[in-house]
């Protein structure tokens, strides 16, 4: 699985580096909490959704990923 990070920082206010760090930790299976609601961030795979990425249940964090 390859990830394309090119569009990331257009989609949220977080910095590119912050997003990469979050993505890396979630992909490694580590628990990362949403800064807003303090709930665990979930990896959404292309199999699970048409909009894969990393998000919390409330949707305040929503990092879209392009899986290629
Ligand atoms: Zn949240």
């Amino acid at each position: 699985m390859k990830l394309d990070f090119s569009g990331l920082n257009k989609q949220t206010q977080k910095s590119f580096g912050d997003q990469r760090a979050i993505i890396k930790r979630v992909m490694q299976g580590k628990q990362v909490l949403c800064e807003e609601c303090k709930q665990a961030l979930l990896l959404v795979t292309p199999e699970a959704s048409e909009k894969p990425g990393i998000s919390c249940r409330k949707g305040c964090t929503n990092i879209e990923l392009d899986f290629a």
Side-chain angles (χ1 to χ4, degrees):
M1 189 161 59
K2 264 176 68 183
L3 284 175
D4 177 7
F5 293 100
S6 58
L8 282 184
N9 52 353
K10 294 176 208 151
Q11 289 155 357
T12 79
Q13 294 175 341
K14 279 189 177 301
S15 76
F16 185 78
D18 283 350
Q19 292 189 1
R20 280 194 71 150
I22 290 170
I23 292 161
K24 214 172 150 186
R25 284 162 68 193
V26 173
M27 299 281 288
Q28 286 169 346
K30 293 179 181 162
Q31 180 159 288
V32 184
L33 300 181
C34 172
E35 288 178 3
E36 294 289 326
C37 66
K38 309 297 181 194
Q39 295 197 37
L41 298 179
L42 305 169
L43 179 67
V44 181
T45 63
E47 290 79 22
S49 169
E50 287 179 11
K51 289 185 178 177
I54 290 171
S55 63
C56 68
R57 287 193 191 282
K58 291 178 86 175
C60 28
T61 295
N62 189 4
I63 302 171
E64 288 182 37
L65 295 175
D66 293 322
F67 289 84

